[in-house]
Amino acid sequence: MPPDDFAAEVDRLWDQVKPLYDDLQCHVRAELSDHHGADVVDPAGPIPAHVLGNMWAQSWSNIYDLVAPPAADPGYDLTEILQSRGTSEVEMVEMAEGFFTSLGMESLPDTFWTRSDREVVCHASAWQLDLDEDVRIKMCIDINAEDFSTIHHELGHSYYQLGYRDRAPLFRDSANDGFHEALGDVIALSVTPGYLVDIGLLDEEPSADADLGLLMRMALDKVAFLPFGLLIDRWRWAVFSGDVPPEEYNAAWWSLRDQYQGVGAPSERTEEHFDPGAKYHVPGNTPYTRYFLAHILQFQLHRDLCEAIGYEGPLNRCSIYGNEEAGRRLSEMMAMGLSRPWPDALEAATGSREMDATAILDYFAPLAEWLKEQNEGRACGWS
Ligand SMILES: [Zn+2]
C-alpha cells in the first residue's frame, strides 16, 4: 500500500467511529465539568488532560465512577471470586490455555511451564525465544480480574507464535503490526460472563441489565484510546516529512490532541516543553498505528467470528469459547504469519478483505444509545 493511501485508510476508519467517540467525549466532559466545576473543565471546550485519570489521557477507565451509568453494577466481582477460591497464578494460566485448546488448538509445550518461573520486569509481554516452540510469557501475575484477562491476551501472542513457527524465519510474524495485538484482545473479548459460567467460575449469567456498566468501562478504555492511537504517528509522520519543523514540535502535538481527542493541555505549553517525549513510544521509536489498527481489528474479528459461528444476540455477550470453527479460522490466519498480504489473513478469519470499524459501533450500540439520551440538550463538540 502506498504511504499516502495508508494515511487515508487510517482516516477512513477513524471517520467510521468518530460519532461514537464524540458522544463519549461529550458525556465525560459534562460529568467532569459537574464534578470539578466549569472553571476547571469548560463544558464547551477540550477536556484538560489532567482530569482523565491517565498521564497521557489515553485511557479513561480510572474515572469510571464519575461518569458511570447509575445502577450499572455487573452483579459479580471476578477478582473476589478468584481470591475466595484460592485460585493460583498457574491455575489462571491453565484456564486461559483451556480457552485455546477448546478452540481445537494444541496444548502449550512443556517448556512453557518449566521455564517460566523467574524474576522479571513486570510489564506483561510474550516471547518466542527460539523462533520455534520455546514460547513464554513474561508477567507478574496478581490474582485479579484484570490479570486474568491479560493472561488470555498474552497467550494470544504465544499461540500466534506457535501458529506460524513452520514458516520461513522472515515470515514468523503477524500479518501486519495490528494483528498480533488484536489476536490476544479478540480472546480477551470472549472472556464474558457466559464464559465464566462455562469454566465454573460463576454460577449463573447476570442479567443483561448490567451490561451498560461493563460497556462503559470498556469504552473508557478502548473507544477513548482510538484518537490517541491515531495521532501519535500523525505527529511523527509530520515531523519526519518536515511538514512540522522543530520550532513547532510541541504546538503541533497539542494541535493534534485538540483536533482528534478534544483534549487540551492543563497549563500553558510552549516550545520550551517537549510533551510528545513523555510517551515512551516516541523516544523509543516504536510505531504506534499498530495499536489503533489492533483496536479496530479486534472488534471486527470478534463480530465476524461470532457471526460465522451463528451467534445471535448482543455482541458483548458473545464468546467463541469452545467453538472449533472459530478456532479453525483463527488458526488459518495465524499459520500464514507474514507470508501473505494482510488482506489474505483478514479474509481467512473474517471473510472480508477490508478493515471495518463499524464492528465497534455494533459492539457498543447499547451504550451509544444511552450516551445519546444523556447528551440531549448538551452542546457537543469543542472549538
Ligand atoms: Zn500484547
Side-chain angles (χ1 to χ4, degrees), residues 116-312:
S116 286
D117 191 12
R118 60 183 63 208
E119 286 285 310
V120 295
V121 174
C122 284
H123 183 87
S125 56
W127 298 81
Q128 184 177 29
L129 278 91
D130 59 353
L131 280 180
D132 195 358
E133 68 166 32
D134 188 356
V135 296
R136 309 182 206 174
I137 61 173
K138 177 180 79 56
M139 183 174 176
C140 311
I141 296 173
D142 291 319
I143 312 295
N144 62 41
E146 188 185 346
D147 280 10
F148 187 69
S149 176
T150 303
I151 294 166
H152 286 72
H153 172 94
E154 297 304 334
L155 286 195
H157 289 305
S158 303
Y159 273 92
Y160 214 139
Q161 291 158 348
L162 290 171
Y164 53 59
R165 72 180 182 276
D166 292 332
R167 296 280 165 194
L170 285 174
F171 295 147
R172 290 177 206 170
D173 204 343
S174 65
N176 74 25
D177 272 6
F179 279 72
H180 232 304
E181 294 303 333
L183 196 272
D185 279 1
V186 169
I187 302 302
L189 284 178
S190 274
V191 179
T192 57
Y195 164 65
L196 298 178
V197 172
D198 281 346
I199 63 171
L201 283 178
L202 259 190
D203 291 333
E204 59 179 312
E205 263 192 77
S207 82
D209 306 345
D211 284 11
L212 217 45
L214 292 170
L215 284 170
M216 175 61 95
R217 208 176 272 283
M218 188 164 285
L220 291 172
D221 194 20
K222 304 217 176 198
V223 178
F225 174 79
L226 289 164
F228 183 82
L230 181 154
L231 74 84
I232 301 279
D233 280 349
R234 271 294 127 120
W235 179 83
R236 186 155 35 194
W237 295 338
V239 166
F240 289 170
S241 71
D243 285 348
V244 169
E247 60 274 17
E248 290 169 20
Y249 280 175
N250 214 38
W253 170 259
W254 283 107
S255 147
L256 288 165
R257 297 269 270 169
D258 178 77
Q259 180 192 338
Y260 285 103
Q261 282 186 292
V263 163
S267 63
E268 198 194 333
R269 310 307 288 164
T270 70
E271 294 304 323
E272 294 279 286
H273 308 116
F274 182 60
D275 296 315
K279 183 65 196 167
Y280 165 82
H281 302 68
V282 171
N285 204 31
T286 307
Y288 210 76
T289 306
R290 61 179 57 169
Y291 301 106
F292 174 79
L293 295 181
H295 277 65
I296 304 285
L297 284 167
Q298 64 187 260
F299 287 98
Q300 184 178 0
L301 284 161
H302 180 72
R303 178 186 66 185
D304 294 358
L305 288 171
C306 288
E307 225 169 76
I309 65 176
Y311 173 82
E312 285 171 14

